[in-house]
Structures are given as structure tokens and as C-alpha cells.
Amino acid sequence: MPSYTFVSTANAFVLRGAVPVFVDIRADTLNIDETLIEAAITPKTKAIVAVHYAGVSCEMDTIKAIAKKHHLFLIEDAAQGMMASYKGQPLGSIGDLGTVSFHETKNVISGEGGALLINDKTWIEDAEIIREKGTNRSKFFRNQVDKYTWVSLGSSFLPSEIIAAFLWAQLEHAQEITDRRLHHWQLYHDGLADLENREVLRRPIVPADCQHNAHMYQILLPSLAQRTQFIETLRAAGILSVFHYVPLHSSPAGMKYGRSHGDLALTTNLSERLVRLPLWVGMTTTDIEVVLDTIHKSSR
Ligand SMILES: *Cc1c(COP(=O)(O)O)cnc(C)c1O
């Protein structure tokens, strides 16, 4: 898995006794560098985790071929990837398993919550049991057993009815939400082209095979010092911009539970220079223009 990701990517595996092995990222998409994966595989390796950063897909054909060759599971962390695709295929539906997040910071939300996408039918029953606190209650509801009981390990992963209803409404509007976000994203992209030409900043790069979902608009500044200054300039104008992530390989828990493959130089460098601009479905064109004006005034 990449080190440049949210902590949940690693937690999920450490909680089951596995050791995350961190691999460096690509300079363009900030996704795991598929050319470095194979060298990180050992006889103990069980799975490859592809995190689709900012809803821009990893190079899935290559990663899928590596997983197949080495008999590894391919798991997509598509937390940020709802409504995005790779060569026309929705993110989360390409690997053996995919995860989607409905956290309040994502595009389609239920406050807290998420989905496990199961692309291998043989795992559906196991997943139902895990979701139902380790019981076969789902089978009971389908009249396949006359009483339900504890059959395996599980937990309380079901959302409440109220949360599910909220999410349903969000899902009904998922295309509209995505379209509006893409509109905002494009305003930023067009509005910052001149500053990229002047090498003041670098805009996001989306490979031709990837349809993204405008999950975020992130820019890269030349240095950590310039990023700190940039965030401060926007803050003084009442605009919140944020950085992320602190790479997992350099975090206290990452060092304790994980292992790095190589020096992860790009992860360290790029994570220090990245900043996210405000992007929310309810923003107006004027809101975006204010951000663009502020950036331009500070970059004269
Ligand atoms: C948000 C996010 C998660 C965690 O999602 P939760 O719904 O909070 O569990 C995991 N991975 C990535 C890449 C994320 O952006």
C-alpha cells in the first residue's frame, strides 16, 4: 500500500495482524507507483492495496496483472472514488474487494459510513455474517434457517435506518453532486493554468484512462516553506486550505506497525508541498473566483 494515504487504509490490515508495507507514489497522480510494487512482494505478501487518490484511478491493468501473477488479492481503497472510473469501469469494482467511504468529507455522504464492494460472489455470505455481528441473521431473514446464532467473528457494522435513508437520498443525487463538483474543479483548473505556466504551482494531473469525480482540487507548491506561506495567505483572507497527509511511514504508528519499501522520497517530498483548495458541492462560482483572485494577488 502507499504511505501517502489516510490512516484507515493501514488500520484495516494492522487490526487483523498484518504488516503494511509502504511503497512510493507516482509524481503525477500521487497514486502507488505500479513499477515499484513487484520488488516489494515477499513470500508473506497477501494483498496489494490500490488507493485511488482524489478519485483518480491507479494504473489498474498493470496492478491487476501483478496481483494475478503473484496470486495476491487486489483490494481497492476507493474511499475517494465514488462515481469515478478507470477505462470506463467504476472504481471499487476492479479488484477482488473495494471500499467506498460515505464520511462527511467525501462526495456522497451519510456522516459516517461506507460500503464494501464484493467482486467475488463466494465472499458474500462471509461478509453478511461479519456485518451482522458474527451471526447468520441475514439467512434467518431470508427464511433459510429457522433461528439465527453466532457462527463466526463479526461486529456491528450496519448503519442505522436513519443514516441509510440519508445516504439513499445522497445516492439519488450522486450524478448531480458529481457534475457540480466537476464544474467547480474545472473553474479552478482553468483559473490556475497561468500560474502553472509561470511555475508558481502545479495543477492536478489526470491520465487519459481515468474519469475522476472532482473529489478534491489539490495543488503542489515548490517547497514546504512556500506551502506554509500560501496556507497563511489564504487564511488571512478567510479561506481555509489544508494539507495532507502526514505519510504513514513517518508517523509513530506507521513506524511501529508498518515497514517501508525503499526510501519513499517522492512521498516525503510531495506530501510536504501539497495543499487542497476548498471544494464543496454547495460552493458558488463567486466563491471559487474569490479563491482564485486571492491566489493570483499573492502570486504577483
Ligand atoms: C476517507 C478515507 C478513508 C476512511 O474512510 P472512513 O469512512 O472514515 O472509514 C480511507 N481511505 C482513504 C483514502 C480515505 O480518503
Side-chain angles (χ1 to χ4, degrees):
M1 67 176 64
S3 161
Y4 190 66
T5 182
F6 188 59
V7 300
S8 302
T9 314
N11 266 325
F13 295 90
V14 176
L15 281 167
R16 303 294 168 236
V19 177
V21 176
F22 302 119
V23 174
D24 213 355
I25 50 174
R26 288 164 50 144
D28 55 357
T29 57
L30 314 188
N31 283 330
I32 191 164
D33 185 338
E34 67 278 1
T35 67
L36 301 176
I37 293 175
E38 226 171 345
I41 294 170
T42 73
K44 285 179 141 185
T45 306
K46 294 274 191 275
I48 301 171
V49 186
V51 181
H52 305 300
Y53 185 70
V56 175
S57 178
C58 298
E59 209 328 86
M60 293 308 283
D61 278 351
T62 309
I63 298 176
K64 222 177 155 168
I66 297 168
K68 197 171 172 211
K69 180 177 161 194
H70 294 271
H71 309 287
L72 302 173
F73 295 114
L74 174 54
I75 299 164
E76 294 177 80
D77 181 339
Q80 305 176 8
M82 180 88 190
M83 307 296 283
S85 60
Y86 169 78
K87 298 187 178 175
Q89 202 173 339
L91 302 190
S93 72
I94 303 165
D96 297 292
L97 295 168
T99 54
V100 176
S101 173
F102 304 124
H103 184 255
E104 61 178 42
T105 53
K106 303 304 198 287
N107 291 18
V108 171
I109 65 171
S110 62
E112 289 277 7
L116 173 67
L117 308 182
I118 300 166
N119 301 319
D120 179 342
K121 287 198 180 88
T122 59
W123 292 340
I124 292 176
E125 202 172 295
D126 285 346
E128 283 181 340
I129 291 167
I130 292 167
R131 183 180 70 169
E132 281 282 13
K133 307 167 179 74
T135 73
N136 57 350
R137 194 163 172 243
S138 298
K139 273 192 157 171
F140 175 68
F141 283 145
R142 289 195 295 266
N143 289 321
Q144 292 166 334
V145 288
D146 60 1
K147 52 183 173 307
Y148 75 86
T149 183
W150 188 26
V151 293
S152 188
L153 282 184
S155 191
S156 193
F157 292 119
L158 280 166
S160 73
E161 293 283 317
I162 292 169
I163 287 175
F166 188 100
L167 177 63
W168 180 245
Q170 285 271 307
L171 290 169
E172 286 179 323
H173 292 281
Q175 191 59 57
E176 182 191 334
I177 291 168
T178 308
D179 291 346
R180 278 162 72 174
R181 294 186 75 106
L182 284 166
H183 173 260
H184 298 342
W185 192 99
Q186 198 60 45
L187 287 178
Y188 276 136
H189 208 58
D190 295 341
L192 294 173
D194 59 329
L195 295 183
E196 185 173 75
N197 286 337
R198 283 171 42 206
E199 293 178 10
V200 172
L201 52 84
R202 199 197 86 186
R203 299 180 300 163
I205 297 170
V206 182
D209 287 335
C210 307
Q211 173 58 56
H212 73 98
N213 59 359
H215 175 59
M216 67 174 92
Y217 198 90
Q218 77 283 9
I219 57 173
L220 285 168
L221 294 165
S223 69
L224 174 59
Q226 275 155 300
R227 180 180 77 178
T228 307
Q229 179 63 49
F230 180 94
I231 292 173
E232 180 49 34
T233 304
L234 261 57
R235 198 192 62 79
I239 299 164
L240 179 71
S241 64
V242 291
F243 60 82
H244 82 359
Y245 306 95
V246 173
L248 298 184
H249 76 276
S250 59
S251 68
M255 287 191 278
K256 183 170 174 194
Y257 298 113
R259 178 162 71 69
S260 295
H261 175 76
D263 63 2
L264 307 187
L266 274 175
T267 299
T268 303
N269 177 287
L270 298 167
S271 65
E272 286 182 348
R273 295 162 45 208
L274 184 132
V275 56
R276 300 174 66 172
L277 300 182
L279 180 59
W280 174 60
V281 62
M283 284 178 89
T284 63
T285 300
T286 314
D287 291 334
I288 308 261
E289 281 165 356
V290 169
V291 179
L292 286 170
D293 278 353
T294 309
I295 296 173
H296 279 92
K297 278 193 195 119
S298 71
S299 313
R300 279 212 189 102

mmCIF file of all heavy atoms in Angstrom, residues 50-94:
data_model
loop_
_atom_site.group_PDB
_atom_site.id
_atom_site.type_symbol
_atom_site.label_atom_id
_atom_site.label_comp_id
_atom_site.label_asym_id
_atom_site.label_seq_id
_atom_site.Cartn_x
_atom_site.Cartn_y
_atom_site.Cartn_z
ATOM 1 N N ALA A 50 -4.653 -0.777 -3.594
ATOM 2 C CA ALA A 50 -4.578 0.367 -4.506
ATOM 3 C C ALA A 50 -5.489 1.472 -3.976
ATOM 4 O O ALA A 50 -6.699 1.286 -3.892
ATOM 5 C CB ALA A 50 -5.004 -0.053 -5.911
ATOM 6 N N VAL A 51 -4.898 2.588 -3.600
ATOM 7 C CA VAL A 51 -5.677 3.741 -3.114
ATOM 8 C C VAL A 51 -5.836 4.721 -4.276
ATOM 9 O O VAL A 51 -4.840 5.166 -4.845
ATOM 10 C CB VAL A 51 -4.952 4.447 -1.940
ATOM 11 C CG1 VAL A 51 -5.775 5.623 -1.422
ATOM 12 C CG2 VAL A 51 -4.634 3.471 -0.819
ATOM 13 N N HIS A 52 -7.067 5.033 -4.610
ATOM 14 C CA HIS A 52 -7.311 5.957 -5.732
ATOM 15 C C HIS A 52 -7.373 7.383 -5.187
ATOM 16 O O HIS A 52 -8.443 7.850 -4.787
ATOM 17 C CB HIS A 52 -8.611 5.597 -6.456
ATOM 18 C CG HIS A 52 -8.680 4.179 -6.936
ATOM 19 N ND1 HIS A 52 -7.766 3.669 -7.833
ATOM 20 C CD2 HIS A 52 -9.540 3.163 -6.645
ATOM 21 C CE1 HIS A 52 -8.077 2.393 -8.090
ATOM 22 N NE2 HIS A 52 -9.141 2.071 -7.382
ATOM 23 N N TYR A 53 -6.215 8.043 -5.193
ATOM 24 C CA TYR A 53 -6.144 9.370 -4.579
ATOM 25 C C TYR A 53 -6.945 10.397 -5.380
ATOM 26 O O TYR A 53 -6.839 10.456 -6.603
ATOM 27 C CB TYR A 53 -4.666 9.807 -4.456
ATOM 28 C CG TYR A 53 -4.495 11.110 -3.732
ATOM 29 C CD1 TYR A 53 -4.748 11.196 -2.361
ATOM 30 C CD2 TYR A 53 -4.107 12.262 -4.396
ATOM 31 C CE1 TYR A 53 -4.602 12.391 -1.682
ATOM 32 C CE2 TYR A 53 -3.955 13.464 -3.722
ATOM 33 C CZ TYR A 53 -4.217 13.517 -2.369
ATOM 34 O OH TYR A 53 -4.081 14.705 -1.695
ATOM 35 N N ALA A 54 -7.741 11.174 -4.664
ATOM 36 C CA ALA A 54 -8.540 12.247 -5.272
ATOM 37 C C ALA A 54 -9.516 11.732 -6.339
ATOM 38 O O ALA A 54 -9.919 12.485 -7.223
ATOM 39 C CB ALA A 54 -7.641 13.339 -5.856
ATOM 40 N N GLY A 55 -9.868 10.453 -6.244
ATOM 41 C CA GLY A 55 -10.796 9.890 -7.225
ATOM 42 C C GLY A 55 -10.178 9.682 -8.598
ATOM 43 O O GLY A 55 -10.884 9.517 -9.590
ATOM 44 N N VAL A 56 -8.838 9.711 -8.651
ATOM 45 C CA VAL A 56 -8.117 9.424 -9.901
ATOM 46 C C VAL A 56 -7.541 8.012 -9.765
ATOM 47 O O VAL A 56 -6.804 7.727 -8.822
ATOM 48 C CB VAL A 56 -6.990 10.454 -10.161
ATOM 49 C CG1 VAL A 56 -6.183 10.074 -11.395
ATOM 50 C CG2 VAL A 56 -7.578 11.854 -10.296
ATOM 51 N N SER A 57 -7.878 7.159 -10.706
ATOM 52 C CA SER A 57 -7.535 5.745 -10.588
ATOM 53 C C SER A 57 -6.028 5.472 -10.620
ATOM 54 O O SER A 57 -5.268 6.158 -11.299
ATOM 55 C CB SER A 57 -8.193 4.986 -11.739
ATOM 56 O OG SER A 57 -7.830 3.620 -11.681
ATOM 57 N N CYS A 58 -5.637 4.427 -9.897
ATOM 58 C CA CYS A 58 -4.290 3.857 -10.046
ATOM 59 C C CYS A 58 -4.213 3.188 -11.420
ATOM 60 O O CYS A 58 -5.232 2.993 -12.092
ATOM 61 C CB CYS A 58 -4.044 2.793 -8.979
ATOM 62 S SG CYS A 58 -4.094 3.394 -7.292
ATOM 63 N N GLU A 59 -3.011 2.783 -11.830
ATOM 64 C CA GLU A 59 -2.817 2.103 -13.123
ATOM 65 C C GLU A 59 -3.254 0.637 -12.960
ATOM 66 O O GLU A 59 -2.440 -0.250 -12.739
ATOM 67 C CB GLU A 59 -1.339 2.213 -13.519
ATOM 68 C CG GLU A 59 -1.070 2.224 -15.015
ATOM 69 C CD GLU A 59 -2.039 1.426 -15.877
ATOM 70 O OE1 GLU A 59 -3.093 1.964 -16.269
ATOM 71 O OE2 GLU A 59 -1.750 0.246 -16.153
ATOM 72 N N MET A 60 -4.564 0.415 -13.036
ATOM 73 C CA MET A 60 -5.135 -0.852 -12.591
ATOM 74 C C MET A 60 -4.787 -2.055 -13.462
ATOM 75 O O MET A 60 -4.653 -3.161 -12.941
ATOM 76 C CB MET A 60 -6.654 -0.718 -12.429
ATOM 77 C CG MET A 60 -7.057 0.216 -11.306
ATOM 78 S SD MET A 60 -6.273 -0.168 -9.721
ATOM 79 C CE MET A 60 -7.247 -1.566 -9.190
ATOM 80 N N ASP A 61 -4.660 -1.882 -14.765
ATOM 81 C CA ASP A 61 -4.316 -3.036 -15.615
ATOM 82 C C ASP A 61 -2.983 -3.640 -15.174
ATOM 83 O O ASP A 61 -2.845 -4.862 -15.028
ATOM 84 C CB ASP A 61 -4.235 -2.622 -17.090
ATOM 85 C CG ASP A 61 -5.611 -2.562 -17.738
ATOM 86 O OD1 ASP A 61 -6.587 -2.999 -17.086
ATOM 87 O OD2 ASP A 61 -5.710 -2.068 -18.884
ATOM 88 N N THR A 62 -2.001 -2.772 -14.949
ATOM 89 C CA THR A 62 -0.683 -3.227 -14.522
ATOM 90 C C THR A 62 -0.743 -3.874 -13.141
ATOM 91 O O THR A 62 -0.174 -4.952 -12.907
ATOM 92 C CB THR A 62 0.298 -2.024 -14.490
ATOM 93 O OG1 THR A 62 0.220 -1.345 -15.738
ATOM 94 C CG2 THR A 62 1.719 -2.469 -14.213
ATOM 95 N N ILE A 63 -1.448 -3.228 -12.214
ATOM 96 C CA ILE A 63 -1.515 -3.727 -10.837
ATOM 97 C C ILE A 63 -2.271 -5.059 -10.791
ATOM 98 O O ILE A 63 -1.891 -5.992 -10.080
ATOM 99 C CB ILE A 63 -2.150 -2.667 -9.909
ATOM 100 C CG1 ILE A 63 -1.278 -1.403 -9.888
ATOM 101 C CG2 ILE A 63 -2.336 -3.223 -8.490
ATOM 102 C CD1 ILE A 63 -1.834 -0.238 -9.090
ATOM 103 N N LYS A 64 -3.325 -5.158 -11.580
ATOM 104 C CA LYS A 64 -4.107 -6.392 -11.646
ATOM 105 C C LYS A 64 -3.246 -7.556 -12.156
ATOM 106 O O LYS A 64 -3.316 -8.679 -11.639
ATOM 107 C CB LYS A 64 -5.295 -6.182 -12.590
ATOM 108 C CG LYS A 64 -6.587 -6.778 -12.068
ATOM 109 C CD LYS A 64 -7.738 -6.473 -12.998
ATOM 110 C CE LYS A 64 -8.776 -7.560 -12.785
ATOM 111 N NZ LYS A 64 -10.052 -7.253 -13.411
ATOM 112 N N ALA A 65 -2.430 -7.270 -13.159
ATOM 113 C CA ALA A 65 -1.557 -8.312 -13.722
ATOM 114 C C ALA A 65 -0.525 -8.772 -12.682
ATOM 115 O O ALA A 65 -0.232 -9.973 -12.579
ATOM 116 C CB ALA A 65 -0.867 -7.774 -14.974
ATOM 117 N N ILE A 66 0.002 -7.847 -11.898
ATOM 118 C CA ILE A 66 0.973 -8.204 -10.846
ATOM 119 C C ILE A 66 0.285 -9.068 -9.785
ATOM 120 O O ILE A 66 0.826 -10.089 -9.342
ATOM 121 C CB ILE A 66 1.585 -6.936 -10.198
ATOM 122 C CG1 ILE A 66 2.381 -6.139 -11.236
ATOM 123 C CG2 ILE A 66 2.460 -7.297 -8.998
ATOM 124 C CD1 ILE A 66 2.786 -4.733 -10.779
ATOM 125 N N ALA A 67 -0.920 -8.679 -9.391
ATOM 126 C CA ALA A 67 -1.668 -9.442 -8.371
ATOM 127 C C ALA A 67 -1.923 -10.861 -8.861
ATOM 128 O O ALA A 67 -1.758 -11.836 -8.117
ATOM 129 C CB ALA A 67 -2.980 -8.731 -8.057
ATOM 130 N N LYS A 68 -2.304 -10.964 -10.119
ATOM 131 C CA LYS A 68 -2.606 -12.278 -10.695
ATOM 132 C C LYS A 68 -1.349 -13.153 -10.741
ATOM 133 O O LYS A 68 -1.361 -14.327 -10.327
ATOM 134 C CB LYS A 68 -3.180 -12.084 -12.106
ATOM 135 C CG LYS A 68 -3.886 -13.305 -12.624
ATOM 136 C CD LYS A 68 -4.634 -13.022 -13.918
ATOM 137 C CE LYS A 68 -5.139 -14.353 -14.464
ATOM 138 N NZ LYS A 68 -5.207 -14.373 -15.917
ATOM 139 N N LYS A 69 -0.259 -12.567 -11.229
ATOM 140 C CA LYS A 69 0.993 -13.295 -11.371
ATOM 141 C C LYS A 69 1.478 -13.852 -10.037
ATOM 142 O O LYS A 69 1.999 -14.964 -9.967
ATOM 143 C CB LYS A 69 2.042 -12.346 -11.979
ATOM 144 C CG LYS A 69 3.408 -12.965 -12.201
ATOM 145 C CD LYS A 69 4.338 -11.962 -12.877
ATOM 146 C CE LYS A 69 5.791 -12.370 -12.685
ATOM 147 N NZ LYS A 69 6.697 -11.263 -13.027
ATOM 148 N N HIS A 70 1.302 -13.064 -8.959
ATOM 149 C CA HIS A 70 1.826 -13.472 -7.644
ATOM 150 C C HIS A 70 0.736 -14.056 -6.741
ATOM 151 O O HIS A 70 0.966 -14.239 -5.540
ATOM 152 C CB HIS A 70 2.506 -12.283 -6.963
ATOM 153 C CG HIS A 70 3.743 -11.823 -7.685
ATOM 154 N ND1 HIS A 70 4.988 -12.333 -7.412
ATOM 155 C CD2 HIS A 70 3.912 -10.918 -8.686
ATOM 156 C CE1 HIS A 70 5.885 -11.745 -8.206
ATOM 157 N NE2 HIS A 70 5.249 -10.899 -8.995
ATOM 158 N N HIS A 71 -0.459 -14.312 -7.285
ATOM 159 C CA HIS A 71 -1.582 -14.882 -6.534
ATOM 160 C C HIS A 71 -1.906 -14.062 -5.285
ATOM 161 O O HIS A 71 -2.050 -14.600 -4.181
ATOM 162 C CB HIS A 71 -1.306 -16.344 -6.166
ATOM 163 C CG HIS A 71 -0.879 -17.172 -7.347
ATOM 164 N ND1 HIS A 71 -1.776 -17.545 -8.335
ATOM 165 C CD2 HIS A 71 0.331 -17.625 -7.738
ATOM 166 C CE1 HIS A 71 -1.127 -18.222 -9.274
ATOM 167 N NE2 HIS A 71 0.156 -18.286 -8.939
ATOM 168 N N LEU A 72 -2.026 -12.771 -5.464
ATOM 169 C CA LEU A 72 -2.339 -11.871 -4.350
ATOM 170 C C LEU A 72 -3.740 -11.297 -4.534
ATOM 171 O O LEU A 72 -4.215 -11.152 -5.665
ATOM 172 C CB LEU A 72 -1.336 -10.710 -4.309
ATOM 173 C CG LEU A 72 0.136 -11.097 -4.180
ATOM 174 C CD1 LEU A 72 1.014 -9.862 -4.327
ATOM 175 C CD2 LEU A 72 0.385 -11.796 -2.851
ATOM 176 N N PHE A 73 -4.376 -10.977 -3.415
ATOM 177 C CA PHE A 73 -5.649 -10.267 -3.504
ATOM 178 C C PHE A 73 -5.370 -8.820 -3.892
ATOM 179 O O PHE A 73 -4.359 -8.241 -3.497
ATOM 180 C CB PHE A 73 -6.385 -10.287 -2.157
ATOM 181 C CG PHE A 73 -6.802 -11.659 -1.736
ATOM 182 C CD1 PHE A 73 -6.238 -12.254 -0.609
ATOM 183 C CD2 PHE A 73 -7.755 -12.359 -2.458
ATOM 184 C CE1 PHE A 73 -6.614 -13.530 -0.221
ATOM 185 C CE2 PHE A 73 -8.137 -13.642 -2.081
ATOM 186 C CZ PHE A 73 -7.564 -14.229 -0.965
ATOM 187 N N LEU A 74 -6.287 -8.277 -4.680
ATOM 188 C CA LEU A 74 -6.201 -6.861 -5.038
ATOM 189 C C LEU A 74 -7.386 -6.149 -4.388
ATOM 190 O O LEU A 74 -8.545 -6.474 -4.665
ATOM 191 C CB LEU A 74 -6.226 -6.690 -6.560
ATOM 192 C CG LEU A 74 -6.283 -5.260 -7.087
ATOM 193 C CD1 LEU A 74 -5.170 -4.396 -6.515
ATOM 194 C CD2 LEU A 74 -6.234 -5.248 -8.611
ATOM 195 N N ILE A 75 -7.066 -5.232 -3.499
ATOM 196 C CA ILE A 75 -8.100 -4.510 -2.763
ATOM 197 C C ILE A 75 -8.012 -3.030 -3.123
ATOM 198 O O ILE A 75 -6.945 -2.431 -3.064
ATOM 199 C CB ILE A 75 -7.926 -4.732 -1.241
ATOM 200 C CG1 ILE A 75 -8.074 -6.224 -0.944
ATOM 201 C CG2 ILE A 75 -8.941 -3.906 -0.462
ATOM 202 C CD1 ILE A 75 -7.575 -6.643 0.397
ATOM 203 N N GLU A 76 -9.138 -2.483 -3.540
ATOM 204 C CA GLU A 76 -9.164 -1.065 -3.895
ATOM 205 C C GLU A 76 -9.677 -0.234 -2.728
ATOM 206 O O GLU A 76 -10.799 -0.463 -2.259
ATOM 207 C CB GLU A 76 -10.110 -0.837 -5.077
ATOM 208 C CG GLU A 76 -9.698 -1.449 -6.376
ATOM 209 C CD GLU A 76 -10.773 -1.186 -7.418
ATOM 210 O OE1 GLU A 76 -10.815 -0.068 -7.975
ATOM 211 O OE2 GLU A 76 -11.596 -2.098 -7.650
ATOM 212 N N ASP A 77 -8.884 0.705 -2.275
ATOM 213 C CA ASP A 77 -9.400 1.716 -1.349
ATOM 214 C C ASP A 77 -9.968 2.819 -2.232
ATOM 215 O O ASP A 77 -9.256 3.704 -2.697
ATOM 216 C CB ASP A 77 -8.286 2.235 -0.438
ATOM 217 C CG ASP A 77 -8.799 3.285 0.554
ATOM 218 O OD1 ASP A 77 -9.860 3.878 0.277
ATOM 219 O OD2 ASP A 77 -8.126 3.517 1.574
ATOM 220 N N ALA A 78 -11.274 2.676 -2.498
ATOM 221 C CA ALA A 78 -11.963 3.654 -3.357
ATOM 222 C C ALA A 78 -12.760 4.623 -2.482
ATOM 223 O O ALA A 78 -13.810 5.134 -2.898
ATOM 224 C CB ALA A 78 -12.855 2.937 -4.357
ATOM 225 N N ALA A 79 -12.233 4.876 -1.268
ATOM 226 C CA ALA A 79 -12.910 5.796 -0.332
ATOM 227 C C ALA A 79 -13.227 7.122 -1.013
ATOM 228 O O ALA A 79 -14.287 7.710 -0.787
ATOM 229 C CB ALA A 79 -12.037 6.027 0.905
ATOM 230 N N GLN A 80 -12.301 7.580 -1.853
ATOM 231 C CA GLN A 80 -12.492 8.870 -2.525
ATOM 232 C C GLN A 80 -13.007 8.682 -3.957
ATOM 233 O O GLN A 80 -13.098 9.655 -4.699
ATOM 234 C CB GLN A 80 -11.143 9.619 -2.571
ATOM 235 C CG GLN A 80 -10.517 9.790 -1.196
ATOM 236 C CD GLN A 80 -9.145 10.442 -1.250
ATOM 237 O OE1 GLN A 80 -8.706 10.909 -2.294
ATOM 238 N NE2 GLN A 80 -8.471 10.480 -0.112
ATOM 239 N N GLY A 81 -13.341 7.443 -4.338
ATOM 240 C CA GLY A 81 -13.531 7.143 -5.753
ATOM 241 C C GLY A 81 -14.952 6.964 -6.250
ATOM 242 O O GLY A 81 -15.160 6.567 -7.403
ATOM 243 N N MET A 82 -15.942 7.281 -5.413
ATOM 244 C CA MET A 82 -17.347 7.129 -5.824
ATOM 245 C C MET A 82 -17.623 7.921 -7.107
ATOM 246 O O MET A 82 -17.283 9.099 -7.184
ATOM 247 C CB MET A 82 -18.207 7.681 -4.674
ATOM 248 C CG MET A 82 -19.662 7.613 -4.917
ATOM 249 S SD MET A 82 -20.336 6.053 -4.377
ATOM 250 C CE MET A 82 -21.953 6.204 -5.079
ATOM 251 N N MET A 83 -18.221 7.255 -8.107
ATOM 252 C CA MET A 83 -18.607 7.875 -9.386
ATOM 253 C C MET A 83 -17.409 8.136 -10.311
ATOM 254 O O MET A 83 -17.560 8.793 -11.343
ATOM 255 C CB MET A 83 -19.387 9.197 -9.197
ATOM 256 C CG MET A 83 -20.592 9.117 -8.298
ATOM 257 S SD MET A 83 -21.896 8.047 -8.937
ATOM 258 C CE MET A 83 -22.617 9.100 -10.189
ATOM 259 N N ALA A 84 -16.244 7.635 -9.949
ATOM 260 C CA ALA A 84 -15.072 7.775 -10.829
ATOM 261 C C ALA A 84 -14.803 6.420 -11.483
ATOM 262 O O ALA A 84 -15.261 5.385 -10.996
ATOM 263 C CB ALA A 84 -13.864 8.230 -10.025
ATOM 264 N N SER A 85 -14.049 6.425 -12.595
ATOM 265 C CA SER A 85 -13.826 5.161 -13.300
ATOM 266 C C SER A 85 -12.438 5.094 -13.940
ATOM 267 O O SER A 85 -11.750 6.110 -14.088
ATOM 268 C CB SER A 85 -14.901 4.970 -14.376
ATOM 269 O OG SER A 85 -14.847 6.031 -15.301
ATOM 270 N N TYR A 86 -12.056 3.858 -14.277
ATOM 271 C CA TYR A 86 -10.802 3.572 -14.989
ATOM 272 C C TYR A 86 -11.160 2.801 -16.249
ATOM 273 O O TYR A 86 -11.785 1.745 -16.156
ATOM 274 C CB TYR A 86 -9.895 2.735 -14.087
ATOM 275 C CG TYR A 86 -8.670 2.148 -14.775
ATOM 276 C CD1 TYR A 86 -7.558 2.938 -15.041
ATOM 277 C CD2 TYR A 86 -8.637 0.801 -15.127
ATOM 278 C CE1 TYR A 86 -6.440 2.393 -15.656
ATOM 279 C CE2 TYR A 86 -7.518 0.250 -15.742
ATOM 280 C CZ TYR A 86 -6.419 1.057 -16.002
ATOM 281 O OH TYR A 86 -5.318 0.509 -16.614
ATOM 282 N N LYS A 87 -10.815 3.323 -17.410
ATOM 283 C CA LYS A 87 -11.203 2.711 -18.683
ATOM 284 C C LYS A 87 -12.691 2.338 -18.678
ATOM 285 O O LYS A 87 -13.078 1.243 -19.122
ATOM 286 C CB LYS A 87 -10.327 1.485 -18.985
ATOM 287 C CG LYS A 87 -8.852 1.873 -19.128
ATOM 288 C CD LYS A 87 -7.967 0.725 -19.604
ATOM 289 C CE LYS A 87 -6.523 1.204 -19.777
ATOM 290 N NZ LYS A 87 -5.589 0.143 -20.125
ATOM 291 N N GLY A 88 -13.503 3.204 -18.117
ATOM 292 C CA GLY A 88 -14.950 3.016 -18.108
ATOM 293 C C GLY A 88 -15.486 2.148 -16.985
ATOM 294 O O GLY A 88 -16.706 2.005 -16.835
ATOM 295 N N GLN A 89 -14.602 1.544 -16.193
ATOM 296 C CA GLN A 89 -15.054 0.655 -15.120
ATOM 297 C C GLN A 89 -15.039 1.385 -13.776
ATOM 298 O O GLN A 89 -14.005 1.956 -13.391
ATOM 299 C CB GLN A 89 -14.132 -0.575 -15.059
ATOM 300 C CG GLN A 89 -14.801 -1.739 -14.383
ATOM 301 C CD GLN A 89 -13.958 -3.008 -14.458
ATOM 302 O OE1 GLN A 89 -13.075 -3.145 -15.308
ATOM 303 N NE2 GLN A 89 -14.227 -3.929 -13.551
ATOM 304 N N PRO A 90 -16.167 1.373 -13.045
ATOM 305 C CA PRO A 90 -16.234 2.132 -11.787
ATOM 306 C C PRO A 90 -15.154 1.703 -10.792
ATOM 307 O O PRO A 90 -14.893 0.499 -10.640
ATOM 308 C CB PRO A 90 -17.627 1.807 -11.245
ATOM 309 C CG PRO A 90 -18.415 1.382 -12.423
ATOM 310 C CD PRO A 90 -17.438 0.716 -13.356
ATOM 311 N N LEU A 91 -14.549 2.668 -10.106
ATOM 312 C CA LEU A 91 -13.544 2.355 -9.098
ATOM 313 C C LEU A 91 -14.204 1.582 -7.959
ATOM 314 O O LEU A 91 -15.322 1.887 -7.554
ATOM 315 C CB LEU A 91 -12.878 3.630 -8.576
ATOM 316 C CG LEU A 91 -12.202 4.494 -9.637
ATOM 317 C CD1 LEU A 91 -11.361 5.592 -8.977
ATOM 318 C CD2 LEU A 91 -11.342 3.660 -10.567
ATOM 319 N N GLY A 92 -13.512 0.578 -7.474
ATOM 320 C CA GLY A 92 -14.066 -0.292 -6.439
ATOM 321 C C GLY A 92 -14.599 -1.591 -7.021
ATOM 322 O O GLY A 92 -14.835 -2.551 -6.297
ATOM 323 N N SER A 93 -14.796 -1.622 -8.350
ATOM 324 C CA SER A 93 -15.340 -2.829 -8.988
ATOM 325 C C SER A 93 -14.266 -3.594 -9.760
ATOM 326 O O SER A 93 -14.560 -4.557 -10.448
ATOM 327 C CB SER A 93 -16.483 -2.454 -9.946
ATOM 328 O OG SER A 93 -15.973 -1.825 -11.103
ATOM 329 N N ILE A 94 -13.014 -3.167 -9.641
ATOM 330 C CA ILE A 94 -11.946 -3.741 -10.471
ATOM 331 C C ILE A 94 -11.163 -4.828 -9.722
ATOM 332 O O ILE A 94 -10.817 -5.862 -10.288
ATOM 333 C CB ILE A 94 -10.991 -2.614 -10.946
ATOM 334 C CG1 ILE A 94 -11.792 -1.540 -11.699
ATOM 335 C CG2 ILE A 94 -9.873 -3.182 -11.819
ATOM 336 C CD1 ILE A 94 -11.054 -0.231 -11.913
#
